[in-house]
Amino acid sequence: MPYSGLTSEEVKQRIEKGETNQAPSSMVRSVKDIILSHALTYFNFINTVLFVIVLLSGKITNALFYFTVIISTFIGIWQELKARKLLLKMEMINKARYQTLRDGQYVPLLSDELVRDDIIILESGLPVPADGIVLSGTIELNESVITGESRTVIKNENGEIYGGTVVTAGKATVRIVHVGSENTAAKIMEEGRQFKDAKSRLAQEMEKLLKVISVVIIPAGIAIFLTQWLRTGMPVNEAAIKTVAAVVGMIPEGLAVLTSGALALSAIRLARTQVLVHEMHSIESLARVDVLCLDKTGTLTKGSMKTEKHIVMDGVEEETALHALRTLLKALDAHNATSSALMETYGTDSDEETAELIPFSSERKYSGVITAKGDAYLLGAPKILLGNRYPQVLEQCNEYAKLGTRVVTIGRSQSHTKEDFEPYALFLISDELRDNTREIMEYFGRQNVSLKVISGDDPSAVSAIAYRAGIPYAHRAIDLSSCDQPFDEIVEHYTVFGRVKPLQKKELVEALKRKGHTVAMTGDGVNDVPSLKCSDVSVAMAAGAPAARDSANFVLMDNDFSRMPSIVDEGRRVINNISRASAMYLVKTGFSALLSIYVIILAHTYPFVPVQLTLISAAGVGIPTAILQLEPSFERPKKGFLGPAITKAGPSAIMVMLTVFVCVFLREQLHLTPERYSGILMAMTGGIYLFTLTKVYRPLTKGRSAVISAMGILLICAIFFAGRIFSATLIGLDFLIVGIGYCLIPLGARILTGHFEKAIGHFLTESEN
């Protein structure tokens, strides 16, 4: 039937009405949003104000702390912009062109150039650009990205098709009926946009700490400034510098740098293994996952089929059966996953001439070929071709189906119909498991990660594939299409969930989260978007739907699920090392808070200036933790990090406070100059930091000991050789005092640790739980 298509005027009218196939706005954040989200934070604002105060005071060397703010912000922006660029590039690469009938001629157009009522040609391999109606021809579609079911469907004249699905065989002329946000896929994607990714535990606990500090620093800063200026008689500019030192000391800005730097480094490592990290904190989130939800197609299986074996019927020669199969396969003008699997195993080597092809149709549910000799060979599902005439064969086929194996039969028909079909052989075809699938499942088993398989396919077939993949308790399967139980009651008991609708996937993930689990979800289709967005962390395949890639935390660029263990290990390396390092950064926060209380109450001079704290933090925390976080550390992270970090940091913070008292006493008794007083105090404070490092990074290996020793030498040399920069110095007697102090640090730490843990240990344990 000839078609004329739309005229230029009709296209113009539809564009004016907004009836274009423009895709809904991408889930990828804009460059502006990314930059603003990282730059305009509360603590960036506070640090910027402090930076301006230092500049106005004229003592520029004390502004070095601001570099940590710049570095942290830059790393976060750089990583997310890099991920955004790659995602948008993938979208451009994957855009297809469609032969579209305009003004009586076919012209190639992109998906977003189509309008309502456009007539297009769809062929094998093309994604369907929008919902439509088949006008003529026959196509076979993979609708798994919409329905979640891996089986293909046949669409003939007047058949409805959905945007986002993929043509696997055939050719058809199609009229577009829905465009843009009206498409079925767009509606599912819009549902996905309603959900927000859960924050990582590290981010949540950091936020708790920062909320407390944010309430304290402004009134504390005002009180310290007034104390230094009015009560001690200090000039305004010097009082401002002392205030900046106190406030900067209470902000663990170095921890933000370490966190963003470590996560960015992990993102680079993962990129080298073809894993795109969309959000850096998701690396840490995946390390804490205790339930992993898998999609069958594209995750456990490759999305392709392979022939397991064939069974020849009694009284039939094997060569006769294979000749019939090869003849039919040779005659086919389009191939699906089943015929491709048969071709790969048996080939198409046949010298029979074809007189007529019997194409597959949704009514017949089989295909066939009539040879020049008049023989008719039919290929299809046994229950369709055999009817009730071969009960034993059908029973045998049912047993194979329960094992997740697809069974097709080939045979001969005198009447060229199924009515007198005589089977020659059965062919057992199965979904092909991805390489190393069993090893990956065993890995997650060893990590105590529960596995759930969520699929739109028949639960019996999915259960069989899950069993082949080595998933524990794969026999615990349920059909959600006929389940009336609340998901909270079944989600823990069952492993395989079949006949699952897209929004039911999301509801299953939510039910798992309500049970207290940290849930990861894998998927590659539009139907997976709601559950991907709802999960704590999500993984998509690069070959999947753009909506799935955009909404996922991780994208496997080579579509290789075997990358998952390396992502988990990388996450564990990051969170374990950051958890250890966090205790070091909280030492400064702790003693700065204690010193602030001390100087406000007693009207004493704050003992540090910002540049001194910068050196102590660099040698005692920043440099060593940056080096030591490269160490492998793949054990499962503990539930929380803030409580243990405070427990380790508290005694050290108190020791710094006591050290200030001792140094003030020595200054008065020995008449020390301000520079010598500062030199001894800096050296002692640095020593406490280095001793804390030895506690945090136990057991001490040769590498760890070398790093800590090198930091001690760096600190002393900086004070001795560059004292003018830090307003500090050390002379002969001072080294003796520092040496005695270093010998007393372990004793003081042991006493303080015991009392500190008794005082707040129980409280912190309860708060973590």
Side-chain angles (χ1 to χ4, degrees):
M1 180 184 297
Y3 305 101
S4 60
L6 297 175
T7 64
S8 298
E9 183 61 30
E10 289 172 329
V11 171
K12 182 179 178 181
Q13 292 173 358
R14 282 161 175 75
I15 292 175
E16 290 174 350
K17 292 179 182 179
E19 296 178 342
T20 62
N21 197 43
Q22 290 286 336
S25 59
S26 174
M27 293 185 216
V28 180
R29 291 204 294 177
S30 68
V31 173
K32 179 182 177 182
D33 288 341
I34 291 172
I35 293 174
L36 291 180
S37 67
H38 288 279
L40 301 183
T41 65
Y42 175 74
F43 276 92
N44 278 5
F45 170 73
I46 293 295
N47 277 289
T48 301
V49 171
L50 297 176
F51 176 70
V52 172
I53 291 173
V54 172
L55 293 182
L56 293 175
S57 73
K59 299 186 178 182
I60 309 300
T61 55
N62 287 290
L64 290 175
F65 72 90
Y66 199 66
F67 281 104
T68 61
V69 178
I70 297 173
I71 293 170
S72 177
T73 303
F74 172 79
I75 290 173
I77 293 173
W78 169 77
Q79 168 58 27
E80 193 164 348
L81 286 178
K82 181 180 177 183
R84 179 184 185 275
K85 181 180 179 181
L86 188 51
L87 284 169
L88 293 178
K89 182 179 179 181
M90 289 167 59
E91 287 183 8
M92 291 300 298
I93 291 173
N94 290 329
K95 283 190 175 181
R97 292 184 179 272
Y98 300 87
Q99 293 299 318
T100 308
L101 192 57
R102 296 272 180 92
D103 293 318
Q105 293 184 337
Y106 281 99
V107 293
L109 297 177
L110 293 172
S111 170
D112 53 10
E113 295 175 312
L114 301 175
V115 299
R116 190 193 305 278
D117 297 322
D118 258 331
I119 294 175
I120 64 174
I121 301 295
L122 289 179
E123 300 179 280
S124 178
L126 283 175
V128 178
D131 296 353
I133 298 290
V134 176
L135 300 178
S136 63
T138 300
I139 53 176
E140 186 172 307
L141 296 175
N142 181 340
E143 294 186 337
S144 63
V145 294
I146 299 291
T147 65
E149 297 185 44
S150 61
R151 66 182 180 86
T152 55
V153 295
I154 305 298
K155 298 292 183 178
N156 299 308
E157 187 175 341
N158 296 323
E160 296 182 359
I161 62 175
Y162 303 109
T165 59
V166 179
V167 181
T168 58
K171 184 176 181 179
T173 302
V174 172
R175 179 171 64 86
I176 302 298
V177 296
H178 292 150
V179 290
S181 59
E182 296 178 357
N183 283 307
T184 302
K187 291 177 180 178
I188 298 175
M189 289 165 59
E190 188 60 35
E191 173 70 19
R193 286 188 179 90
Q194 297 176 12
F195 311 114
K196 295 182 180 179
D197 291 311
K199 293 182 179 179
S200 69
R201 186 179 298 275
L202 176 62
Q204 289 174 334
E205 297 199 6
M206 284 280 289
E207 187 175 333
K208 288 180 185 177
L209 175 64
L210 295 179
K211 279 182 179 179
V212 174
I213 295 174
S214 65
V215 173
V216 171
I217 55 175
I218 294 179
I222 294 173
I224 292 169
F225 174 75
L226 294 175
T227 299
Q228 302 297 287
W229 177 35
L230 299 177
R231 297 177 65 185
T232 67
M234 193 178 294
V236 172
N237 63 333
E238 291 186 17
I241 291 295
K242 293 290 186 179
T243 302
V244 169
V247 175
V248 169
M250 285 187 279
I251 301 174
E253 76 284 346
L255 184 56
V257 176
L258 176 72
T259 301
S260 57
L263 291 173
L265 185 60
S266 289
I268 293 171
R269 287 197 196 101
L270 291 172
R272 291 172 181 166
T273 61
Q274 298 298 301
V275 178
L276 170 65
V277 181
H278 201 173
E279 296 173 334
M280 290 196 300
H281 272 294
S282 59
I283 298 174
E284 179 254 330
S285 299
L286 189 57
R288 298 188 182 279
V289 163
D290 60 356
V291 175
L292 175 60
C293 297
L294 307 168
D295 185 26
K296 177 180 73 68
T297 306
T299 302
L300 296 180
T301 64
K302 295 180 178 179
S304 59
M305 312 291 287
K306 70 174 181 178
T307 306
E308 297 288 348
K309 65 177 181 178
H310 62 269
I311 303 170
V312 179
M313 300 292 100
D314 293 339
V316 179
E317 293 290 334
E318 181 178 42
E319 187 53 38
T320 301
L322 296 183
H323 173 75
L325 176 67
R326 293 178 180 127
T327 301
L328 189 148
L329 293 175
K330 180 182 178 182
L332 292 178
D333 57 1
H335 292 279
N336 56 25
T338 300
S339 62
S340 297
L342 292 169
M343 279 183 60
E344 185 176 347
T345 304
Y346 302 104
T348 58
D349 186 14
S350 173
D351 54 5
E352 286 264 15
E353 294 294 329
T354 300
E356 181 183 348
L357 177 66
I358 304 173
F360 186 94
S361 73
S362 56
E363 290 80 17
R364 278 193 301 269
K365 297 189 184 300
Y366 64 85
S367 58
V369 62
I370 302 174
T371 70
K373 297 178 182 179
D375 294 323
Y377 301 128
L378 306 181
L379 176 70
K383 65 179 181 180
I384 299 298
L385 291 174
L386 301 180
N388 298 319
R389 291 175 289 117
Y390 295 86
Q392 291 183 338
V393 176
L394 288 172
E395 184 178 350
Q396 185 180 13
C397 293
N398 289 334
E399 292 300 317
Y400 286 122
K402 291 178 182 179
L403 298 175
T405 303
R406 184 175 301 179
V407 184
V408 295
T409 182
I410 193 164
R412 184 172 178 272
S413 170
Q414 293 281 2
S415 64
H416 303 174
T417 69
K418 65 178 182 178
E419 303 305 324
D420 61 347
F421 177 78
E422 177 188 349
Y424 280 177
L426 301 176
F427 294 89
L428 309 185
I429 303 171
S430 64
D431 287 297
E432 194 170 2
L433 287 177
R434 287 188 172 274
D435 297 336
N436 304 320
T437 298
R438 291 190 68 89
E439 289 83 351
I440 298 169
M441 299 303 113
E442 289 173 0
Y443 165 84
F444 284 113
R446 292 193 301 271
Q447 302 300 323
N448 296 318
V449 176
S450 298
L451 301 170
K452 305 287 183 181
V453 184
I454 304 175
S455 174
D457 286 340
D458 179 86
S460 298
V462 179
S463 177
I465 291 172
Y467 177 79
R468 286 168 49 206
I471 294 178
Y473 310 111
H475 62 283
R476 296 180 180 175
I478 186 171
D479 188 335
L480 286 193
S481 65
S482 58
C483 174
D484 56 1
Q485 294 177 265
F487 284 179
D488 285 24
E489 295 180 7
I490 64 172
V491 74
E492 296 271 32
H493 179 70
Y494 292 98
T495 299
V496 173
F497 301 85
R499 303 293 186 200
V500 183
K501 296 178 181 179
L503 293 185
Q504 287 180 320
K505 290 187 178 184
K506 181 204 73 171
E507 291 168 6
L508 284 170
V509 171
E510 288 181 331
L512 286 165
K513 291 174 67 175
R514 284 195 295 271
K515 293 289 186 178
H517 295 291
T518 303
V519 183
M521 178 73 194
T522 67
D524 59 359
V526 174
N527 71 95
D528 296 316
V529 170
S531 55
L532 290 172
K533 295 290 285 184
C534 179
S535 61
D536 293 293
V537 61
S538 51
V539 183
M541 305 290 176
R549 296 197 303 265
D550 288 355
S551 59
N553 302 120
F554 298 92
V555 180
L556 305 183
M557 303 301 294
D558 56 1
N559 307 300
D560 187 356
F561 186 68
S562 66
R563 305 292 185 192
M564 288 295 292
S566 65
I567 302 175
V568 174
D569 282 346
E570 194 59 56
R572 292 185 173 184
R573 179 208 299 262
V574 169
I575 187 58
N576 287 331
N577 285 314
I578 290 177
S579 295
R580 282 197 290 260
S582 61
M584 301 303 306
Y585 286 98
L586 294 182
V587 171
K588 180 166 70 75
T589 299
F591 77 68
S592 295
L594 293 174
L595 288 176
S596 297
I597 296 171
Y598 156 68
V599 299
I600 291 172
I601 295 175
L602 299 181
H604 284 188
T605 302
Y606 193 82
F608 296 102
V609 293
V611 70
Q612 294 172 348
L613 291 178
T614 299
L615 173 62
I616 294 169
S617 295
V621 190
I623 298 174
T625 55
I627 296 173
L628 295 175
Q629 67 91 20
L630 299 175
E631 294 183 323
S633 180
F634 302 142
E635 64 273 14
R636 186 168 181 172
K638 296 179 180 178
K639 190 171 183 180
F641 88 96
L642 190 56
I646 292 175
T647 302
K648 293 175 182 176
S652 297
I654 295 172
M655 284 180 65
V656 173
M657 178 72 176
L658 296 176
T659 299
V660 171
F661 294 158
V662 172
C663 289
V664 169
F665 174 78
L666 293 175
R667 181 184 64 186
E668 295 174 353
Q669 297 299 316
L670 301 178
H671 307 290
L672 299 177
T673 63
E675 289 77 13
R676 290 179 62 192
Y677 162 74
S678 293
I680 295 172
L681 179 58
M682 287 179 66
M684 288 299 302
T685 302
I688 294 170
Y689 265 101
L690 297 176
F691 177 77
T692 308
L693 277 174
T694 64
K695 292 198 303 178
V696 170
Y697 286 95
R698 288 179 179 171
L700 282 179
T701 62
K702 290 182 179 179
R704 291 175 175 180
S705 298
V707 170
I708 295 172
S709 299
M711 292 304 101
I713 295 171
L714 173 64
L715 177 67
I716 297 300
C717 289
I719 298 172
F720 185 74
F721 292 108
R724 292 182 60 184
I725 297 175
F726 304 104
S727 301
T729 188
L730 289 171
I731 62 173
L733 178 62
D734 303 336
F735 284 103
L736 176 62
I737 295 172
V738 171
I740 295 172
Y742 280 9
C743 293
L744 296 175
I745 286 175
L747 176 61
R750 186 177 303 162
I751 296 171
L752 286 173
T753 299
H755 290 292
F756 187 80
E757 288 180 349
K758 287 180 181 179
I760 70 167
H762 178 72
F763 170 75
L764 288 174
T765 302
E766 290 297 323
S767 65
E768 290 293 337
N769 293 331

